[in-house]
Every structure is written in structure tokens, then in C-alpha cells.
Amino acid sequence: MLQNSANPLPRQVADAYVDALIALDPITGTHMGIAESARFLPDFSPDGQEALAALARTTLDRLTEAERRPGGDSDAERRCARLL
């Protein structure tokens, strides 16, 4: 089942989280093999830490919603949600 970005399934929430995490923490991106990340450093200030915390909160909220959507309870989607 194909979902648009307005109604993502858990796998799409996970993909969006990884993209946002790499933007906020380029060191993680470098460890994941994203060559472009090697030129940057994360924001270690309180604002940068708050951005990471906000990303985690938002992602968990989106994941909860995604699990309730049709198809969000399939085995593959549940595994992805658990990994996230």
C-alpha cells in the first residue's frame, strides 16, 4: 500500500527521522556512510540538544499515528516501528 507523506506508515516515519537526525547530527550521518556529513558538526548548544529532543518527541507522536493507519499494523511495519 502506497502512502503519501501526509499519511505515512511507520517505515516512512523512520525514513523521515533518519533524514532529520542526519541534518541535526552530521557525525551520525558520517557513521552511517553519508559522505556529505563529514564536512559538518552538530550544534552542541542547548538549542541543538533541544532540537534533537523535539525530533524524538515529534517522531514518537508521528509513529503512534502511523501505527493506527491501515497497513500500519503489518508485520514489516511493526518491526520497523520497534526498531525505531
Side-chain angles (χ1 to χ4, degrees):
M1 171 183 281
L2 192 59
Q3 293 283 315
N4 64 34
S5 61
N7 297 307
L9 290 175
R11 194 178 312 216
Q12 294 162 313
V13 172
D15 289 345
Y17 170 77
V18 171
D19 291 342
L21 178 63
I22 290 169
L24 292 173
D25 185 357
I27 293 173
T28 297
T30 301
H31 285 286
M32 294 176 76
I34 310 299
E36 302 83 38
S37 293
R39 296 181 291 140
F40 302 100
L41 288 173
D43 179 357
F44 291 114
S45 75
D47 288 342
Q49 297 307 300
E50 176 53 34
L52 285 169
L55 174 62
R57 287 189 299 271
T58 302
T59 300
L60 289 174
D61 290 342
R62 291 184 68 214
L63 182 60
T64 298
E65 292 172 19
E67 290 177 311
R68 293 183 183 139
R69 291 196 178 91
D73 62 347
S74 72
D75 289 342
E77 294 296 333
R78 278 192 234 164
R79 277 193 303 275
C80 188
R82 272 196 310 268
L83 288 170
L84 180 58

